[in-house]
Amino acid sequence: MGLLSDPKNRVKFIVFVSRHCNKLCFLTYLVGLAWFIALAYAPMNEKTYFSENALLPGLVDSEYSLQRAAERFYDDAKDESKKHPRTIPIDWISNEMTRLGLDTYVQNYSFSYPLNIFKQQTFTGRNVYGILRARRASNTESVVMSLPLRPPESILNKNHAGLALMLSMAKYMRAHTYWSKDIIFLVTEHEGIGIQAWLDSYHNTRASTFINGSDLLGRGGSIQAAVNLDIEDSNIDHFDLLLEGLNGQLPNLDLINTIVRLCRKEGIVPTIHNIAQHYNLESYEGFEQSLQTMLLMMWSQLSGSASGNHGLFHRYHIEAVTMMGVKEKRGRNNHGFYTMGRVMEGLFRSLNNLMERFHQSFFFYLLPSTERYVSIGMYMPPFGLLVVGCLIKAIELWASYQSSQPTVEGEETDDAVAGGDSRDQDDKKQSLSRGLLSIAPVTIISTMFGMVAYYGAEFFIATASPFKMSPGEGLLYGGVAVFITAMFYPRLLSRADKDASLGPNWKVLKSMTLIMEGLVLFSTSLMNISLATLLAVTMVPVTVWIQPTKSKNYTTILSGEYRYENHDM
Amino acid sequence: MASPTMQVLPAIVMYFLAFMATASCANIEDKIPESFKSGHTNNWAVLVDTSRFWFNYRHIANVLSMYYSVKRLGIPDSHIILMIADDMACNPRNPRPATVFNNANQHINVYSDDVEVDYRGYEVTVENFIRVMTGRLPASTPRSKRPLSDDISNVLVYMSGHGGDGFLKFQDAEEISSIELADAFEQMWQKRRYHELMYIIDTCQAESMYQKFYSPNIIGIASSKVGEDSLSHHVDPAIGVYIIDRYTYYALEFLEMVTPQSKKTLGQFLKVCPKHDCISTVGVGTDLFQRNVNKVLVTDFFGSVRNVELSTVDVKWNMSSPTKQDQECRDNTCSEM
């Protein structure tokens, strides 16, 4: 009996779904996929706008003109770094910052590798940071300018130009009194590890058991925003913005909008994944370029690893972005420290105007270009369509399983589907629960295999060295071994059990797993839409379509597995 | 020794002169100076800025510019209640500390040393504003925070901030509705706290704030009609904020031409800021105002004009005797308060 819904309409709906199941699944998948791709086309998405009125981006004239000081810092930085081929010149940076009048501190940290790589050997590193105190304001808030510095032997960009820019910005900002927040100039070593150590110590947390940072002697209040710099040379072609953070978290869209507006004001091109905004977004080339940008952003987001040091700030509710100054070999544009400095000055003036953390604009979005966005409200419907095929198939399978159950004479099958009261309620319940319970062993054992794969990584790496394999190879072969065992386990188990009726009913198994799949995909989409979309696009067609096969070839290979029961078909 | 006629002669001369004086009584109204005909003898101004935060610099600049004009035209600080919700001059973001400018040319610092702010910062609340208007202040309130207007005062009320249809936002935390405001003004009328009141408001959808007034002798001027936004005038790129609003900018331009002796009329003031200047339409509500606006001087509200003339003419005032109720109220014994 339906208390909250009308049983007759429910039955009609289920009958409709069952009859057109395959068509519906196919259609919703295609429409969802096409709609998702169409989101990159300009008329389907929206132009970016500023939600935070306090920012006043680009309103104030920039006065930065310390490009010559920046050039001197650049030369000095390159000379100093030659004296330390394996590490970074922390002492020189510390001296320069103190000379500029900042409160300078050095932090030591140590780290070891997880999964027993390098046998728990510890490595050390140092960060240095200088705090420019706001003289006229109470020092309760701060903004961070951070910089990953690399030794000469590193293959990545050494970032000396970034260091020069940062020191000249510190010199400029020190000369002015209109700062309402402290500004922290942070130089870190060892990429993400140094930043994580600093953030952990700053907030008195311990995010990782492998990274130990010493206590910080100086702090600047709660951090409102952070900008990470990665400049390749003193003359760059454009600014590339790196957004993706840990686990696919993105910074607030207003921060990106501010940077894009300021870059435009100073005449330097902002790009996302090195693709600038096309001049004619409504044309086919414009759509192609936007789609490429959006897909590149999704590809970068789905890995879950941060695309730059900024990604580690997001967990502390600090909006952060990396500005990469890219030098093209055959670049047409040439922007020096003057332009870069003015962009940074404008950015920090806007951040200075903030009274609250960024909270007005979007946190979940995809960017097809620098001035257009796809918000969560725009991408969830097509994603929903992609995944709803699972649920439709699950309903259809469950309905067909129910209708194939033994019913009392004279009673319509519809009643059984609707789950109405009857004298044979117990009977039905028994068969129902047997159907449901029968899939329990399969599900539990599959989950256990997943756990073995997840927790066994350390074991695989430990067993790699006796076989003279690298840890990566050990991990790979271990994973493959788990996968093959998982595929063949029913053969090992069902030998003892010849009674087919106690094995899992394939319809129940499939419908339950489809529901689980839908659940997992929807939950993932709330956190990392790119990962969820990739999984949906690849998994949904396969899992919805797959069914037990009668083919002799397959059954001989996987004998014992998924031997369907005749009476259910 | 004087003869009897000599003793009587001064008396005769005096009687003759008195006769002449009484004979000329018929034209007595011509002898009364103009300024006493408008019905008010003193001016008050209540200037309110309701928004805080650095990006609302222009609202504070609006109010301080009005304060500057009103002081220049003669209203003293003791007759001005200035309510400002935030401190822009000492805001750490101000690159010109201790100054507030209303123009990008930065000629006039409207926050100079003789500015007296009566209600500052978080004291600017809806409750305090209504108490100021209706006079229901605790006995311990200092005189500078207490408007002591009476039934022969002209009061100018100027408000600037963020508003909407039927409300004005105070301090980002509360609102005053147009009905509350109308009721406050009615209380003022009942308590005889004004002779005539001019209400100017420079916010978005400002007209909605004076549409609900029902007390006599009020004129309302709004910078925009319902459904329109009031716009700011220009940015000062050296400070980095919008520095003044359009309606106030053009109103100040008009007031700059006004001196205490000026004969400019209120009708001319109401024509300030046509649509091509203000972009929004200036709303004017004169239905509750008794006099003809073209005969009212601007200085009746914006200035404090006290004409003192020495008259050699004996003037007999034709005052109607006060009603018993009025007399009681004057003696502070009436029950209706």
Side-chain angles (χ1 to χ4, degrees), chain B residues 19-287:
Chain B
F19 172 69
M20 291 300 290
T22 47
S24 60
C25 256
N27 311 330
I28 216 60
E29 265 75 49
D30 300 339
K31 301 276 195 294
I32 303 176
E34 275 298 315
S35 60
F36 289 118
K37 283 197 184 162
S38 58
H40 77 283
T41 60
N42 57 77
N43 287 78
W44 285 82
V46 179
L47 309 172
V48 184
D49 152 68
T50 58
S51 44
R52 53 170 39 237
F53 303 139
W54 174 245
F55 61 93
N56 289 322
Y57 186 103
R58 64 189 186 282
H59 297 141
I60 284 136
N62 288 349
V63 170
L64 283 172
S65 316
M66 271 299 173
Y67 174 81
Y68 188 83
S69 299
V70 145
K71 263 184 92 161
R72 184 176 57 83
L73 290 172
I75 304 185
D77 273 313
S78 54
H79 284 226
I80 303 178
I81 304 284
L82 183 58
M83 301 173 80
I84 298 191
D86 199 2
D87 188 2
M88 288 298 129
C90 297
N91 194 313
R93 299 170 180 87
N94 193 345
R96 311 269 183 269
T99 62
V100 173
F101 294 110
N102 62 0
N103 203 311
N105 56 27
Q106 295 184 7
H107 281 162
I108 315 172
N109 170 18
V110 287
Y111 197 79
S112 47
D113 358 343
D114 60 343
V115 167
E116 278 182 28
V117 181
D118 300 304
Y119 287 83
R120 65 190 68 244
Y122 287 109
E123 288 174 350
V124 178
T125 58
V126 174
E127 183 191 339
N128 278 349
F129 174 68
I130 294 186
R131 282 186 187 280
V132 156
M133 301 312 295
T134 56
R136 293 179 193 279
L137 289 160
S140 55
T141 318
R143 259 186 101 107
S144 59
K145 285 185 161 179
R146 197 194 273 272
L148 299 164
S149 54
D150 49 20
D151 64 331
I152 41 176
S153 316
N154 273 6
V155 181
L156 165 73
V157 181
Y158 175 88
M159 300 181 86
S160 181
H162 286 290
D165 192 357
F167 68 91
L168 175 61
K169 189 166 83 154
F170 264 74
Q171 297 268 17
D172 212 29
E174 49 180 5
E175 298 162 357
I176 186 171
S177 68
S178 52
I179 297 171
E180 279 177 340
L181 193 58
D183 287 342
F185 285 163
E186 174 64 11
Q187 283 194 45
M188 282 180 81
W189 175 251
Q190 298 273 349
K191 292 164 80 162
R192 305 286 185 267
R193 284 171 69 83
Y194 70 89
H195 171 62
E196 278 169 350
L197 192 143
M198 176 140 111
Y199 180 72
I200 308 180
I201 177 161
D202 191 349
T203 68
C204 299
Q205 308 199 49
E207 197 194 24
S208 60
M209 287 306 283
Y210 70 68
Q211 279 173 334
K212 293 280 190 301
F213 290 168
Y214 54 95
S215 320
N217 292 353
I218 301 187
I219 179 167
I221 306 172
S223 61
S224 58
K225 289 203 180 300
V226 175
E228 287 179 349
D229 285 342
S230 286
L231 301 168
S232 51
H233 192 257
H234 64 273
V235 175
D236 183 350
I239 301 182
V241 280
Y242 289 101
I243 206 151
I244 192 143
D245 281 332
R246 281 182 183 259
Y247 178 74
T248 308
Y249 178 83
Y250 289 106
L252 289 172
E253 221 179 37
F254 178 89
L255 287 174
E256 266 167 30
M257 300 298 140
V258 172
T259 62
Q261 295 78 31
S262 167
K263 295 280 173 263
K264 288 208 189 311
T265 64
L266 202 54
Q268 289 172 304
F269 181 71
L270 294 178
K271 291 204 182 63
V272 143
C273 214
K275 196 152 168 106
H276 63 83
D277 279 333
C278 255
I279 301 180
S280 56
T281 322
V282 172
V284 176
T286 48
D287 46 334

Side-chain angles (χ1 to χ4, degrees), chain A residues 93-162:
Chain A
I93 298 172
S94 173
N95 279 335
E96 286 297 319
M97 283 188 178
T98 319
R99 249 177 3 122
L100 287 171
L102 311 176
D103 296 349
T104 317
Y105 307 93
V106 173
Q107 184 207 15
N108 298 310
Y109 62 89
S110 63
F111 61 97
S112 58
Y113 280 82
L115 300 176
N116 234 339
I117 306 171
F118 297 135
K119 300 266 184 308
Q120 290 177 335
Q121 202 183 342
T122 50
F123 304 88
T124 59
R126 291 200 293 170
N127 296 329
V128 60
Y129 62 104
I131 306 181
L132 173 65
R133 301 281 180 198
R135 297 278 166 218
R136 286 164 56 203
S138 53
N139 312 110
T140 49
E141 294 169 348
S142 54
V143 192
V144 170
M145 189 192 291
S146 79
L147 193 88
L149 206 54
R150 291 135 189 156
E153 64 172 13
S154 159
I155 50 167
L156 300 166
N157 161 40
K158 318 289 174 291
N159 218 355
H160 296 140

Side-chain angles (χ1 to χ4, degrees), chain A residues 292-364:
Chain A
Q292 196 182 11
T293 317
M294 193 170 92
L295 290 176
L296 277 172
M297 178 175 169
M298 291 177 74
W299 184 253
S300 169
Q301 190 187 15
L302 66 86
S303 68
S305 64
S307 49
N309 275 0
H310 65 283
L312 298 167
F313 283 92
H314 295 151
R315 284 195 287 183
Y316 300 88
H317 201 20
I318 301 169
E319 307 310 321
V321 80
T322 295
M323 291 175 68
M324 193 149 173
V326 176
K327 186 183 174 64
E328 299 273 2
K329 280 203 194 64
R330 274 158 307 193
R332 286 168 299 160
N333 307 316
N334 210 358
H335 299 284
F337 283 121
Y338 179 73
T339 319
M340 288 195 264
R342 284 171 78 96
V343 170
M344 297 307 296
E345 183 205 345
L347 175 61
F348 274 83
R349 284 301 285 273
S350 286
L351 292 177
N352 189 38
N353 286 340
L354 284 177
M355 290 149 313
E356 311 156 298
R357 290 177 190 271
F358 282 102
H359 66 283
Q360 301 269 18
S361 190
F362 298 98
F363 288 98
F364 296 98

